[in-house]
Amino acid sequence: NARLDANFWAEAVNTACYLVNLSSSTVNGFKTTVEVWSDQPGDYSILKVFGCPAYYHVMKGKLEPRAKKGIFVGYRRGVKGFRIWSLSEGKVILSRDVTFDEKSLLHSQTVAESEEDKRKSQEVTQQVKVETTISKRQEQPQSDGSSGAGRYP
């Protein structure tokens, strides 16, 4: 959904594995691995939409920007934190101080889907018009009195 480059497949697989480990299993009595290990339910509040725009905190000076834009690509192992692909630096940044803009990704996705739906609807309408025209031609009687066998409309 995020329309990321193929270079981000490894990050996507790592994030998918992280999410699988957070999900429940019938083997464990519908408990997550975190619940089995610590007897406490997992924290799902940190889950974010993969590939959404994210702004990570930087401190370079009073007059400098305090956040840089990146793309959320996963979770940091072992501690609370996130993996952000920095657009300006071209590398993965590990940070706890991140603001996510999940709605913009969902909004752009719905806009793209609605444009795609409009295009498909126009194609279907055009196809129906063509099929209707062909069927009308086939239903018209031959004007020369012949049966029309072996002839095409």
Side-chain angles (χ1 to χ4, degrees):
N1 289 342
R3 304 184 198 293
L4 293 177
D5 193 30
N7 296 335
F8 291 101
W9 271 102
E11 297 291 344
V13 169
N14 282 337
T15 302
C17 289
Y18 179 82
L19 295 174
V20 165
N21 288 335
L22 281 181
S23 62
S24 61
S25 172
T26 57
V27 175
N28 298 336
F30 294 103
K31 291 184 176 183
T32 65
T33 53
V34 173
E35 286 178 287
V36 171
W37 183 258
S38 65
D39 290 331
Q40 295 180 3
D43 182 16
Y44 297 107
S45 65
I46 64 167
L47 297 182
K48 304 297 177 189
V49 176
F50 182 84
C52 73
Y55 301 89
Y56 61 95
H57 180 74
V58 292
M59 189 61 180
K60 293 193 174 186
K62 277 188 170 182
L63 301 177
E64 296 296 320
R66 303 208 180 208
K68 289 188 177 182
K69 187 173 183 176
I71 299 171
F72 170 67
V73 293
Y75 302 93
R76 190 170 174 183
R77 288 184 169 237
V79 294
K80 182 180 177 184
F82 304 98
R83 296 173 58 82
I84 308 296
W85 177 258
S86 174
L87 298 173
S88 61
E89 298 177 31
K91 65 180 184 178
V92 173
I93 303 294
L94 303 174
S95 179
R96 283 181 32 180
D97 301 321
V98 181
T99 303
F100 296 94
D101 189 11
E102 295 171 298
K103 290 181 182 178
S104 71
L105 177 71
L106 298 176
H107 174 70
S108 65
Q109 183 67 23
T110 55
V111 168
E113 286 175 356
S114 65
E115 289 174 4
E116 181 71 16
D117 290 342
K118 286 179 187 176
R119 186 185 62 75
K120 285 181 181 179
S121 175
Q122 289 172 349
E123 287 176 3
V124 168
T125 303
Q126 186 177 13
Q127 182 67 25
V128 167
K129 287 179 182 177
V130 168
E131 289 175 359
T132 304
T133 305
I134 290 172
S135 67
K136 284 182 180 179
R137 286 183 186 168
Q138 290 174 349
E139 291 173 2
Q140 292 177 350
Q142 299 295 330
S143 61
D144 62 357
S146 67
S147 66
R151 297 183 68 190
Y152 294 102

